[in-house]
Amino acid sequence: MARIGVFVCHCGLNIAGTVDVERVIEAVRDHPDVVHAADYKYLCSDPGQSLIQDAIETRELDGVVVAACSPSMHEATFGRAAAEVSLNPYRLEIANIREQVSWPHQREPEAATRKAIEVVRTLVEKVSGNEELSPLELPITRRALVVGGGIAGMTAALDIGDAGYPVLLVERSERLGGHMAEHSQLYLNLDAGDDLLRQRVEAVHNHPHVEVLTGTQVVALDGYVGNFTAQVRADYIGNTEEEDGDTRHEDVGAIVLATGFDLYDMGRLPEYGGDRYPDVVDSLQFESMLRDNAVRRPSDGRVPEEVVWVQCAGSRDPEQHQPYCSKICCMYVAKQIIAYRRAVPQGQAYVFYIDIRSQGRGYDEFVQEAMEEHDALYLRGKVSKIAPHGGRLAVWGVDTLVGNSVRVSADLVVLATAAVPSAGTEDLARRTRAATDESGFLSEAHPKLRPVESLTAGIYLAGGCQFPKDIPETVSQASGAAAKVLRLFAKDEMTQEPTVAYLVEELCSGCGTCVEICPYEARELHPYLAVATVNPALCQNCGACLVACPNKATSVHNWTPKQILAMADAVV
Amino acid sequence: MSDKKPVSNDTPAQRVLIIGAGIAGMQAALDIADAGHEVLLVERLPSIGGRMAQLSETFPTLDCAQCILTPRTVEVGHHEQIQLLTHAEIESIEGEVGDFRVRIRRRAAYVDWDLCTGCGLCQEKCPGRALSDFERGTGERAAIYTLSPQAVPNKPIIDREHCIHFLRDRCGACAKLCPVGAIDFEQQDAFVEADCDAIILATGYDIYGLDRMAEYGGGKIPDVIDALAFERLLSSSGPTAGQVRRPSDGRVPSEVVFIQCAGSRDPQKHLSYCSKVCCMVAAKQATLYRHRVHNGQAYVFYIDIRAAGKGYDEFTQRAMEDEQVVYVRGKVSRLFRDSDRVLVMGADTLTNRQVQIAADLVVVAPALRSHPETVRLAQMLSLPTDRHGWLLPLNENVHPVETSRPGVFLAGTGTGPMDIPETVAHASGAAAQVLKLFANPCRQR
Ligand SMILES: Cc1cc2nc3c(=O)[nH]c(=O)nc-3n(C[C@H](O)[C@H](O)[C@H](O)COP(=O)(O)OP(=O)(O)OC[C@H]3O[C@@H](n4cnc5c(N)ncnc54)[C@H](O)[C@@H]3O)c2cc1C
Ligand SMILES: Cc1cc2nc3c(=O)[nH]c(=O)nc-3n(C[C@H](O)[C@H](O)[C@H](O)COP(=O)(O)OP(=O)(O)OC[C@H]3O[C@@H](n4cnc5c(N)ncnc54)[C@H](O)[C@@H]3O)c2cc1C
Ligand code: SF4
Ligand code: SF4
Ligand code: SF4
Ligand code: SF4
């Protein structure tokens, strides 16, 4: 007979405001295995944890059910508290009665209470069948792969390399630097981007621990956190899957994806004529004019005396283009204006904008400087049409502040086109099992608290590939990704949840059904024994194999068919 | 495989001092401690979590701040490699990278924390009352208190200014009730000396107070509150359990006006910079208000809507479309109390018309400003700040977390306004620099 304790958390009013906690306690008290039941306002607080620990010791509990918030919140908290008083943490289960019960059923307290009782009862059944387990320990390859050699990738590679670990940096193009290599000066101080970049590129090339492969891409990735094998191939183009002798297999323990962004193709903005009129350029083209000290019209080489910037070109337009704001353009436009006026002091700058987004220390002041000291005319409104007119360009728009439509004649038009994921991001995501969001940028593990981790353990994100961001933010995020790698490599061994599938060999016929069905490639047929195998490091505990196995030879630790049946019985 | 030899993993453990235990300080602490080094985490307040602990739900996905924060605070509180010193201040720092000597003052709590079990009896029975700073004046607390029931550490302090024992030499209820005899009215400040190899400043931001803004009533109109106070009213663990009730009479407001850029973007009268987070905060709060008060109407006075981030512009669009929040582009010229309402007058610069709204509640988005403590620490460490007191990194672009002083790094909003994801990434960036330094003990940047 098990000795199980049940603890129900109020979570302030988050749970107790909806669920009748008293009734939950009463309903489980008479279960033959439950020897203790208690509630508390915040079980995750220090006193709450002590309450559980005290009961484990004084009532000699051998299993615990904590009814509280989602296990993703506090499973670790309660597991550690149990372990401190020598209860195996796998003999503790969390019943999620907040995210799954009290929140969705806020207006139906009766239904919520009944559901809470069911969930708790089910987990009481489960925990009585749980084995005592300990985490699996796996070795780590202490070498990192960084994909993309822009400022993000270089920064991550240097931080990891400086800490003494070997790094392989793979860059698709023939040179390092990414878009930063195309920039003129950088806001806020109009530092020469070149000098800063050159130092970094040199540091990467001269680093004893960093190996650089340019003109190279990642074509496949196997393995799991701590033990990946990447296939990298030189001159790999797009999706062509032909055999190639040049493929290298590289063992690495962690991966930083830093593949950056591209600009939205001007050809997709016919209303602005970017593909038709030579004097309509995108912001990177203008950036290189500034950089080369050659601010001239592509059509006739004249110095443009009136320049119009069109902001949000392709951004913030859910109907036709990208729904999101590209974040970086408001600031670089102000910078381009200041740089333009330094190059062409008599020049006049106009900007069409919706909102000016220049937030943070010093940013708004910088835009003010463009307006006040460089006489830039900011017009709030959308550009409706751009057309050639007597050797120049006529820009029609509405000034929403004055309420008039306006027409500005320009020698040159610069489109601040949307920043989009760099070509091939989707493909790379597929190959590395990193997810993308609805706009095609790589998804972070949690939008607030895990901004540099991908959804796959051991794969981290840096820079524009996650979402457009400027250099300061890119660099700190890249260092952040490096910190995660260093944190992983500092461990002697990696631990992995032991609640994975296992095989009863006597029952297995080697039919391979599980190999087919497993979505995580965790099942394989044994090379010469006629049985299947489980790679515990890859198993995600989804249970697909358990259901599929015709011989009932597969089971999952702490999710055995016997437990599942007992749990189902608890509900009826 | 490359032929480069992997490093050995046995560099000696070193110690970092982290000042400030908001989300930035906690993130850096966990990254460094998990990599096997020691962390001394010093926090001025009695418990950790910083401003995030005061927030209701967080943009743009609206997860509840406490819910995602407490796993982190608990992890920090229990981590073997992290030594927490709360209710503490830095007295002095001397030395240099690899050899800093710090003197820390632990302010008297008048409770022996080694004995206290955090049972909470004393708080329940204490007759002393004061407006709570944590609730930003929207609620009260006892004279002996913790910041919240989930505080880490969960040990109370006595506020001398409001304790009847200290005021009138009476009461002593807490001392009589405390089951373990932890109350110690004679307790004195204690001093701790520590050596550390590197320092991270994670002292966060402060709020530009309504009292500095006469144009918005200077804090004297009860139903004109700042956005942080509104966070408390929206929070399910706040004084109203998440119901929106206005301070003056507890009524549920049916018209709420949000005023943006209060104290920000105003170089003549206030601060010149944009506070970065408040446009998103307003969209979030207007949305949450509508979730609580279904027929309520929200208005937002703004100059520019600054919603730059993943999903941010879309979030603001949804506030406008799904929650019918009315955005008025223009400045509020005047605001005054008119019987039981607040009259807000402004100009709509898009229609060139004057607008006047009789609001039940006005929520002002105050500027984020540098914490005065940050300036003091910057002076102590001879670090540069800008004219507003924000800490300046070594190089804006390529060294955003390093400082001009080797071994001293920056994490989070001490360097300027940021939202939570940016703060967290920045803090991990600072952790990387420390880990790098610790991997090469003799190298100085
Ligand atoms: C016109 C303009 C002006 C700007 N001005 C400024 C400024 O003044 N200040 C500022 O702070 N920011 C500025 N920015 C923003 C700045 O460019 C970005 O912050 C920065 O470049 C982001 O760096 P990154 O490394 O993330 O991406 P990128 O620079 O895009 O680098 C990504 C790298 O990855 C490589 N790559 C892509 N896919 C693969 C793959 N599958 N395999 C291998 N390699 C791959 C690419 O070839 C590239 O080298 C500006 C942006 C623009 C468009
Ligand atoms: C009203 C409002 C709503 C917000 N809502 C959101 C949101 O929904 N989503 C979002 O992403 N962001 C939001 N933010 C922004 C968010 O609050 C910050 O990004 C985040 O809290 C910054 O964390 P931090 O650690 O840098 O600073 P803080 O949270 O300020 O932490 C700093 C810590 O350092 C301590 N400290 C200061 N000086 C010293 C000293 N000398 N010695 C010791 N300790 C010291 C402080 O007491 C504090 O605990 C909001 C901000 C406001 C004002
Ligand atoms: S950053 Fe500015 S120009 Fe770019 S999309 Fe956003 S609002 Fe438009
Ligand atoms: S002495 Fe009285 S007033 Fe003071 S903290 Fe104790 S109970 Fe409160
Ligand atoms: S009554 Fe005593 S043990 Fe309980 S919280 Fe107060 S000081 Fe701590
Ligand atoms: S974020 Fe928005 S409200 Fe805040 S100061 Fe900037 S523009 Fe004003």
PDB file of all heavy atoms in Angstrom, chain A residues 87-109:
ATOM      1  N   LEU A  87      12.872  11.980  -0.915  1.00  0.00           N
ATOM      2  CA  LEU A  87      11.824  11.343  -1.717  1.00  0.00           C
ATOM      3  C   LEU A  87      12.253  11.446  -3.180  1.00  0.00           C
ATOM      4  O   LEU A  87      12.562  12.545  -3.659  1.00  0.00           O
ATOM      5  CB  LEU A  87      10.473  12.039  -1.518  1.00  0.00           C
ATOM      6  CG  LEU A  87       9.337  11.461  -2.379  1.00  0.00           C
ATOM      7  CD1 LEU A  87       8.912  10.088  -1.868  1.00  0.00           C
ATOM      8  CD2 LEU A  87       8.134  12.393  -2.422  1.00  0.00           C
ATOM      9  N   ASN A  88      12.287  10.342  -3.873  1.00  0.00           N
ATOM     10  CA  ASN A  88      12.688  10.365  -5.279  1.00  0.00           C
ATOM     11  C   ASN A  88      11.750  11.287  -6.057  1.00  0.00           C
ATOM     12  O   ASN A  88      10.530  11.116  -6.016  1.00  0.00           O
ATOM     13  CB  ASN A  88      12.638   8.944  -5.855  1.00  0.00           C
ATOM     14  CG  ASN A  88      13.139   8.900  -7.293  1.00  0.00           C
ATOM     15  OD1 ASN A  88      12.452   9.350  -8.201  1.00  0.00           O
ATOM     16  ND2 ASN A  88      14.342   8.390  -7.477  1.00  0.00           N
ATOM     17  N   PRO A  89      12.308  12.273  -6.757  1.00  0.00           N
ATOM     18  CA  PRO A  89      11.443  13.265  -7.418  1.00  0.00           C
ATOM     19  C   PRO A  89      10.505  12.646  -8.452  1.00  0.00           C
ATOM     20  O   PRO A  89       9.501  13.259  -8.803  1.00  0.00           O
ATOM     21  CB  PRO A  89      12.412  14.238  -8.073  1.00  0.00           C
ATOM     22  CG  PRO A  89      13.774  13.708  -7.859  1.00  0.00           C
ATOM     23  CD  PRO A  89      13.724  12.594  -6.871  1.00  0.00           C
ATOM     24  N   TYR A  90      10.818  11.451  -8.936  1.00  0.00           N
ATOM     25  CA  TYR A  90       9.910  10.813  -9.889  1.00  0.00           C
ATOM     26  C   TYR A  90       8.725  10.150  -9.196  1.00  0.00           C
ATOM     27  O   TYR A  90       7.840   9.616  -9.840  1.00  0.00           O
ATOM     28  CB  TYR A  90      10.682   9.846 -10.798  1.00  0.00           C
ATOM     29  CG  TYR A  90      11.670  10.627 -11.626  1.00  0.00           C
ATOM     30  CD1 TYR A  90      12.973  10.838 -11.192  1.00  0.00           C
ATOM     31  CD2 TYR A  90      11.253  11.244 -12.799  1.00  0.00           C
ATOM     32  CE1 TYR A  90      13.852  11.626 -11.909  1.00  0.00           C
ATOM     33  CE2 TYR A  90      12.130  12.030 -13.527  1.00  0.00           C
ATOM     34  CZ  TYR A  90      13.426  12.215 -13.082  1.00  0.00           C
ATOM     35  OH  TYR A  90      14.286  13.012 -13.791  1.00  0.00           O
ATOM     36  N   ARG A  91       8.726  10.233  -7.877  1.00  0.00           N
ATOM     37  CA  ARG A  91       7.545   9.805  -7.123  1.00  0.00           C
ATOM     38  C   ARG A  91       6.692  11.027  -6.761  1.00  0.00           C
ATOM     39  O   ARG A  91       5.913  11.004  -5.823  1.00  0.00           O
ATOM     40  CB  ARG A  91       7.971   9.050  -5.845  1.00  0.00           C
ATOM     41  CG  ARG A  91       8.665   7.719  -6.128  1.00  0.00           C
ATOM     42  CD  ARG A  91       7.704   6.590  -6.415  1.00  0.00           C
ATOM     43  NE  ARG A  91       6.745   6.380  -5.328  1.00  0.00           N
ATOM     44  CZ  ARG A  91       5.696   5.578  -5.395  1.00  0.00           C
ATOM     45  NH1 ARG A  91       5.446   4.916  -6.504  1.00  0.00           N
ATOM     46  NH2 ARG A  91       4.887   5.433  -4.362  1.00  0.00           N
ATOM     47  N   LEU A  92       6.912  12.118  -7.487  1.00  0.00           N
ATOM     48  CA  LEU A  92       6.106  13.314  -7.272  1.00  0.00           C
ATOM     49  C   LEU A  92       5.481  13.709  -8.605  1.00  0.00           C
ATOM     50  O   LEU A  92       6.161  13.701  -9.634  1.00  0.00           O
ATOM     51  CB  LEU A  92       6.987  14.450  -6.738  1.00  0.00           C
ATOM     52  CG  LEU A  92       6.309  15.794  -6.460  1.00  0.00           C
ATOM     53  CD1 LEU A  92       6.912  16.436  -5.214  1.00  0.00           C
ATOM     54  CD2 LEU A  92       6.449  16.763  -7.629  1.00  0.00           C
ATOM     55  N   GLU A  93       4.202  13.997  -8.586  1.00  0.00           N
ATOM     56  CA  GLU A  93       3.518  14.411  -9.808  1.00  0.00           C
ATOM     57  C   GLU A  93       2.836  15.749  -9.586  1.00  0.00           C
ATOM     58  O   GLU A  93       2.373  16.043  -8.478  1.00  0.00           O
ATOM     59  CB  GLU A  93       2.463  13.375 -10.224  1.00  0.00           C
ATOM     60  CG  GLU A  93       3.035  12.077 -10.778  1.00  0.00           C
ATOM     61  CD  GLU A  93       3.609  12.218 -12.192  1.00  0.00           C
ATOM     62  OE1 GLU A  93       3.270  13.200 -12.894  1.00  0.00           O
ATOM     63  OE2 GLU A  93       4.408  11.341 -12.594  1.00  0.00           O
ATOM     64  N   ILE A  94       2.793  16.544 -10.644  1.00  0.00           N
ATOM     65  CA  ILE A  94       2.105  17.825 -10.564  1.00  0.00           C
ATOM     66  C   ILE A  94       0.752  17.702 -11.265  1.00  0.00           C
ATOM     67  O   ILE A  94       0.689  17.306 -12.432  1.00  0.00           O
ATOM     68  CB  ILE A  94       2.900  18.928 -11.301  1.00  0.00           C
ATOM     69  CG1 ILE A  94       4.351  18.958 -10.836  1.00  0.00           C
ATOM     70  CG2 ILE A  94       2.208  20.275 -11.165  1.00  0.00           C
ATOM     71  CD1 ILE A  94       4.655  19.818  -9.678  1.00  0.00           C
ATOM     72  N   ALA A  95      -0.310  18.053 -10.574  1.00  0.00           N
ATOM     73  CA  ALA A  95      -1.630  18.126 -11.206  1.00  0.00           C
ATOM     74  C   ALA A  95      -1.857  19.588 -11.582  1.00  0.00           C
ATOM     75  O   ALA A  95      -1.900  20.457 -10.715  1.00  0.00           O
ATOM     76  CB  ALA A  95      -2.708  17.652 -10.234  1.00  0.00           C
ATOM     77  N   ASN A  96      -1.946  19.836 -12.868  1.00  0.00           N
ATOM     78  CA  ASN A  96      -2.090  21.229 -13.311  1.00  0.00           C
ATOM     79  C   ASN A  96      -3.554  21.660 -13.192  1.00  0.00           C
ATOM     80  O   ASN A  96      -4.355  21.423 -14.082  1.00  0.00           O
ATOM     81  CB  ASN A  96      -1.596  21.351 -14.750  1.00  0.00           C
ATOM     82  CG  ASN A  96      -1.734  22.770 -15.278  1.00  0.00           C
ATOM     83  OD1 ASN A  96      -2.232  23.660 -14.584  1.00  0.00           O
ATOM     84  ND2 ASN A  96      -1.277  22.982 -16.502  1.00  0.00           N
ATOM     85  N   ILE A  97      -3.876  22.297 -12.078  1.00  0.00           N
ATOM     86  CA  ILE A  97      -5.271  22.736 -11.913  1.00  0.00           C
ATOM     87  C   ILE A  97      -5.389  24.253 -12.089  1.00  0.00           C
ATOM     88  O   ILE A  97      -6.402  24.834 -11.754  1.00  0.00           O
ATOM     89  CB  ILE A  97      -5.865  22.312 -10.546  1.00  0.00           C
ATOM     90  CG1 ILE A  97      -5.047  22.876  -9.386  1.00  0.00           C
ATOM     91  CG2 ILE A  97      -5.957  20.793 -10.454  1.00  0.00           C
ATOM     92  CD1 ILE A  97      -5.764  22.785  -8.055  1.00  0.00           C
ATOM     93  N   ARG A  98      -4.344  24.893 -12.626  1.00  0.00           N
ATOM     94  CA  ARG A  98      -4.464  26.317 -12.934  1.00  0.00           C
ATOM     95  C   ARG A  98      -4.652  26.509 -14.444  1.00  0.00           C
ATOM     96  O   ARG A  98      -5.748  26.778 -14.883  1.00  0.00           O
ATOM     97  CB  ARG A  98      -3.252  27.096 -12.427  1.00  0.00           C
ATOM     98  CG  ARG A  98      -3.483  28.604 -12.486  1.00  0.00           C
ATOM     99  CD  ARG A  98      -2.309  29.397 -11.962  1.00  0.00           C
ATOM    100  NE  ARG A  98      -1.171  29.328 -12.884  1.00  0.00           N
ATOM    101  CZ  ARG A  98       0.026  29.829 -12.617  1.00  0.00           C
ATOM    102  NH1 ARG A  98       0.267  30.411 -11.461  1.00  0.00           N
ATOM    103  NH2 ARG A  98       0.994  29.730 -13.495  1.00  0.00           N
ATOM    104  N   GLU A  99      -3.563  26.317 -15.225  1.00  0.00           N
ATOM    105  CA  GLU A  99      -3.678  26.514 -16.676  1.00  0.00           C
ATOM    106  C   GLU A  99      -4.737  25.601 -17.294  1.00  0.00           C
ATOM    107  O   GLU A  99      -5.343  25.942 -18.295  1.00  0.00           O
ATOM    108  CB  GLU A  99      -2.321  26.278 -17.355  1.00  0.00           C
ATOM    109  CG  GLU A  99      -1.322  27.414 -17.164  1.00  0.00           C
ATOM    110  CD  GLU A  99      -0.597  27.347 -15.823  1.00  0.00           C
ATOM    111  OE1 GLU A  99      -1.006  26.551 -14.949  1.00  0.00           O
ATOM    112  OE2 GLU A  99       0.372  28.101 -15.638  1.00  0.00           O
ATOM    113  N   GLN A 100      -4.917  24.399 -16.697  1.00  0.00           N
ATOM    114  CA  GLN A 100      -5.867  23.471 -17.322  1.00  0.00           C
ATOM    115  C   GLN A 100      -7.241  23.472 -16.677  1.00  0.00           C
ATOM    116  O   GLN A 100      -8.170  22.899 -17.213  1.00  0.00           O
ATOM    117  CB  GLN A 100      -5.284  22.056 -17.334  1.00  0.00           C
ATOM    118  CG  GLN A 100      -4.299  21.893 -18.475  1.00  0.00           C
ATOM    119  CD  GLN A 100      -3.647  20.537 -18.477  1.00  0.00           C
ATOM    120  OE1 GLN A 100      -4.045  19.636 -17.751  1.00  0.00           O
ATOM    121  NE2 GLN A 100      -2.621  20.400 -19.309  1.00  0.00           N
ATOM    122  N   VAL A 101      -7.350  24.084 -15.502  1.00  0.00           N
ATOM    123  CA  VAL A 101      -8.650  24.022 -14.833  1.00  0.00           C
ATOM    124  C   VAL A 101      -9.182  25.410 -14.452  1.00  0.00           C
ATOM    125  O   VAL A 101     -10.153  25.902 -15.024  1.00  0.00           O
ATOM    126  CB  VAL A 101      -8.594  23.098 -13.591  1.00  0.00           C
ATOM    127  CG1 VAL A 101      -9.949  23.058 -12.900  1.00  0.00           C
ATOM    128  CG2 VAL A 101      -8.159  21.691 -13.980  1.00  0.00           C
ATOM    129  N   SER A 102      -8.526  26.057 -13.495  1.00  0.00           N
ATOM    130  CA  SER A 102      -9.169  27.271 -12.961  1.00  0.00           C
ATOM    131  C   SER A 102      -9.195  28.409 -13.987  1.00  0.00           C
ATOM    132  O   SER A 102     -10.159  29.157 -14.064  1.00  0.00           O
ATOM    133  CB  SER A 102      -8.472  27.723 -11.679  1.00  0.00           C
ATOM    134  OG  SER A 102      -7.169  28.181 -11.942  1.00  0.00           O
ATOM    135  N   TRP A 103      -8.141  28.532 -14.794  1.00  0.00           N
ATOM    136  CA  TRP A 103      -8.142  29.624 -15.771  1.00  0.00           C
ATOM    137  C   TRP A 103      -9.171  29.421 -16.872  1.00  0.00           C
ATOM    138  O   TRP A 103     -10.008  30.291 -17.103  1.00  0.00           O
ATOM    139  CB  TRP A 103      -6.733  29.887 -16.307  1.00  0.00           C
ATOM    140  CG  TRP A 103      -5.884  30.670 -15.342  1.00  0.00           C
ATOM    141  CD1 TRP A 103      -6.311  31.250 -14.170  1.00  0.00           C
ATOM    142  CD2 TRP A 103      -4.490  30.952 -15.432  1.00  0.00           C
ATOM    143  NE1 TRP A 103      -5.263  31.863 -13.535  1.00  0.00           N
ATOM    144  CE2 TRP A 103      -4.129  31.707 -14.276  1.00  0.00           C
ATOM    145  CE3 TRP A 103      -3.495  30.653 -16.369  1.00  0.00           C
ATOM    146  CZ2 TRP A 103      -2.828  32.156 -14.054  1.00  0.00           C
ATOM    147  CZ3 TRP A 103      -2.198  31.101 -16.147  1.00  0.00           C
ATOM    148  CH2 TRP A 103      -1.873  31.841 -15.002  1.00  0.00           C
ATOM    149  N   PRO A 104      -9.154  28.261 -17.559  1.00  0.00           N
ATOM    150  CA  PRO A 104     -10.162  28.119 -18.621  1.00  0.00           C
ATOM    151  C   PRO A 104     -11.602  28.032 -18.103  1.00  0.00           C
ATOM    152  O   PRO A 104     -12.533  28.288 -18.863  1.00  0.00           O
ATOM    153  CB  PRO A 104      -9.755  26.822 -19.330  1.00  0.00           C
ATOM    154  CG  PRO A 104      -8.826  26.121 -18.418  1.00  0.00           C
ATOM    155  CD  PRO A 104      -8.185  27.154 -17.577  1.00  0.00           C
ATOM    156  N   HIS A 105     -11.788  27.674 -16.842  1.00  0.00           N
ATOM    157  CA  HIS A 105     -13.173  27.531 -16.348  1.00  0.00           C
ATOM    158  C   HIS A 105     -13.514  28.599 -15.314  1.00  0.00           C
ATOM    159  O   HIS A 105     -14.244  28.326 -14.361  1.00  0.00           O
ATOM    160  CB  HIS A 105     -13.369  26.140 -15.732  1.00  0.00           C
ATOM    161  CG  HIS A 105     -13.176  25.037 -16.711  1.00  0.00           C
ATOM    162  ND1 HIS A 105     -14.099  24.744 -17.692  1.00  0.00           N
ATOM    163  CD2 HIS A 105     -12.155  24.165 -16.898  1.00  0.00           C
ATOM    164  CE1 HIS A 105     -13.647  23.726 -18.418  1.00  0.00           C
ATOM    165  NE2 HIS A 105     -12.466  23.378 -17.963  1.00  0.00           N
ATOM    166  N   GLN A 106     -12.965  29.808 -15.537  1.00  0.00           N
ATOM    167  CA  GLN A 106     -13.119  30.856 -14.536  1.00  0.00           C
ATOM    168  C   GLN A 106     -14.582  31.130 -14.172  1.00  0.00           C
ATOM    169  O   GLN A 106     -14.893  31.474 -13.046  1.00  0.00           O
ATOM    170  CB  GLN A 106     -12.491  32.139 -15.059  1.00  0.00           C
ATOM    171  CG  GLN A 106     -11.541  32.760 -14.067  1.00  0.00           C
ATOM    172  CD  GLN A 106     -10.526  33.620 -14.797  1.00  0.00           C
ATOM    173  OE1 GLN A 106     -10.875  34.379 -15.700  1.00  0.00           O
ATOM    174  NE2 GLN A 106      -9.284  33.502 -14.414  1.00  0.00           N
ATOM    175  N   ARG A 107     -15.466  30.998 -15.138  1.00  0.00           N
ATOM    176  CA  ARG A 107     -16.860  31.349 -14.863  1.00  0.00           C
ATOM    177  C   ARG A 107     -17.709  30.151 -14.448  1.00  0.00           C
ATOM    178  O   ARG A 107     -18.909  30.296 -14.304  1.00  0.00           O
ATOM    179  CB  ARG A 107     -17.469  32.023 -16.100  1.00  0.00           C
ATOM    180  CG  ARG A 107     -16.725  33.271 -16.460  1.00  0.00           C
ATOM    181  CD  ARG A 107     -17.576  34.371 -17.005  1.00  0.00           C
ATOM    182  NE  ARG A 107     -16.719  35.555 -17.156  1.00  0.00           N
ATOM    183  CZ  ARG A 107     -15.964  35.785 -18.235  1.00  0.00           C
ATOM    184  NH1 ARG A 107     -15.993  34.963 -19.258  1.00  0.00           N
ATOM    185  NH2 ARG A 107     -15.206  36.872 -18.294  1.00  0.00           N
ATOM    186  N   GLU A 108     -17.077  28.963 -14.329  1.00  0.00           N
ATOM    187  CA  GLU A 108     -17.887  27.789 -13.946  1.00  0.00           C
ATOM    188  C   GLU A 108     -17.208  27.085 -12.779  1.00  0.00           C
ATOM    189  O   GLU A 108     -16.589  26.044 -12.960  1.00  0.00           O
ATOM    190  CB  GLU A 108     -17.992  26.808 -15.120  1.00  0.00           C
ATOM    191  CG  GLU A 108     -17.936  27.454 -16.486  1.00  0.00           C
ATOM    192  CD  GLU A 108     -17.394  26.519 -17.556  1.00  0.00           C
ATOM    193  OE1 GLU A 108     -18.178  25.701 -18.021  1.00  0.00           O
ATOM    194  OE2 GLU A 108     -16.203  26.613 -17.900  1.00  0.00           O
ATOM    195  N   PRO A 109     -17.341  27.627 -11.581  1.00  0.00           N
ATOM    196  CA  PRO A 109     -16.639  27.074 -10.420  1.00  0.00           C
ATOM    197  C   PRO A 109     -17.001  25.607 -10.146  1.00  0.00           C
ATOM    198  O   PRO A 109     -16.136  24.824  -9.765  1.00  0.00           O
ATOM    199  CB  PRO A 109     -17.070  27.968  -9.253  1.00  0.00           C
ATOM    200  CG  PRO A 109     -18.152  28.842  -9.763  1.00  0.00           C
ATOM    201  CD  PRO A 109     -18.110  28.840 -11.244  1.00  0.00           C
TER     202      PRO A 109
END
